[in-house]
Amino acid sequence: RIGLQNDIIGGGRVTGQAGPLSIGVLSLHTDDFSDGTTTVPGANNSVVRLRADVLPRTTVGGIITSIQNGSGHNRVVGGDAQLRFMNSSSVSAWFANVWDSDAGTSMAGAASLSLQPRRWYSVNAEYQVVDPDFQPGLGFVRRQDMEKYSGTFALTPRFESSGWARSLVSAVIYDRIDGRDGGKQSTRQFWHNMLSLQTGGFVSVNAQRRFERLATPSSIQGRPLAAGDYTFVSFDASARTNASNTLSGGVNGSVGDFWSGTRTTYGGSLTWKTGPYLTLTGSASRNNIDLPVTDGEFSTSLLSMDVLGAVSRNLFANALVQWDDVSRTLRANVRIDWIHTPGSDLFLVLDTGYMTGDQLDPLESRWLRRTGVVKLTYMKAF
């Protein structure tokens, strides 16, 4: 999150390995930000991450993050550990505590167990808890105020003697999320099936049942969604050919309930590897949604093109171009990377958006942004 709003003035970073210890240290200072109505003071942003191999197949780690300015601070201390045993089985846990000068103290943590005593099946269980006001200043939190219980049972047979089928994954997943007060928030039952083929492609079929409780009214594309309990079932399928072929592609589709209405989606992609220097991927997707509200029947479409080019192993570029019929905006992001010395790069990033729809003011610029960023790195090994 450093630099998303406040500009970065400067700082430094150190990463490396010292025997069994992995080290990462980052400290950056940001400038004050103001848009005329909101002012966010600059701050020192620091992260320290350590991870050590303490025993065979056992690792422990810790992290400290800090935002400090004249008006307050947000500090986080966390730890994690993982023990691997019995082929591909493991047990892991992590914990983090926040001290915020405004919000006080809060915590989050998780523990999980993964068992795979044989190659053809596995069992997983996880518990996660997040306080209602848990907000690490330098991190992202998907969901606050929750206790999550998850379990998975998967069959993973391989077909060594088959001429067309390579392996199968069939997994049953159950998730339940309650609030810290014990109130039910969400549940999910998911049945995932993917068959990998000897040709390098795959076919996947899934079924899902969800429950969501909205404590307050919400909206989807401006259409109202009332507070209450929602249960919906959906099915989806997808298939893809071998991605290493000169021409490859995939298709996907889904149908089912969507909150108080229904949704049907379909899409596909096509990839052309023209040679060792250029790869083009075009994709398209469409959502058809029908909600039992005024103007509740609507659709959205997304078109995109991904271009990957390489002049050599040291100079390559990637461009992503997208257009959707909701914002009617053509967006492009281009990144060029030159590895001028081993471990050191020169990055050039260009980002822009162009409005293709009707304008209320014909004199207003159609360009939403035209941003260029240059980043130069040097690695010093010691």
Side-chain angles (χ1 to χ4, degrees), residues 201-212:
F202 70 85
V203 177
S204 177
V205 178
N206 306 307
Q208 180 176 241
R209 182 180 186 272
R210 287 178 56 191
F211 166 85
E212 296 289 348

Side-chain angles (χ1 to χ4, degrees), residues 163-207:
W164 61 277
R166 178 176 298 174
S167 63
L168 172 68
V169 175
S170 182
V172 178
I173 303 168
Y174 176 79
D175 296 329
R176 179 186 175 100
I177 299 177
D178 295 337
R180 294 289 276 144
D181 60 359
K184 181 180 176 182
Q185 294 183 355
S186 305
T187 63
R188 182 180 71 137
Q189 297 92 45
F190 185 56
W191 185 25
H192 167 64
N193 301 277
M194 186 176 75
L195 179 65
S196 297
L197 308 176
Q198 295 290 1
T199 59
F202 70 85
V203 177
S204 177
V205 178
N206 306 307

Side-chain angles (χ1 to χ4, degrees), residues 29 41-46 66-75 101:
H29 203 81
N44 176 264
N45 307 263
S46 298
S66 173
I67 299 179
Q68 178 77 48
N69 57 32
S71 60
H73 65 266
N74 179 286
R75 301 189 182 102
S101 55

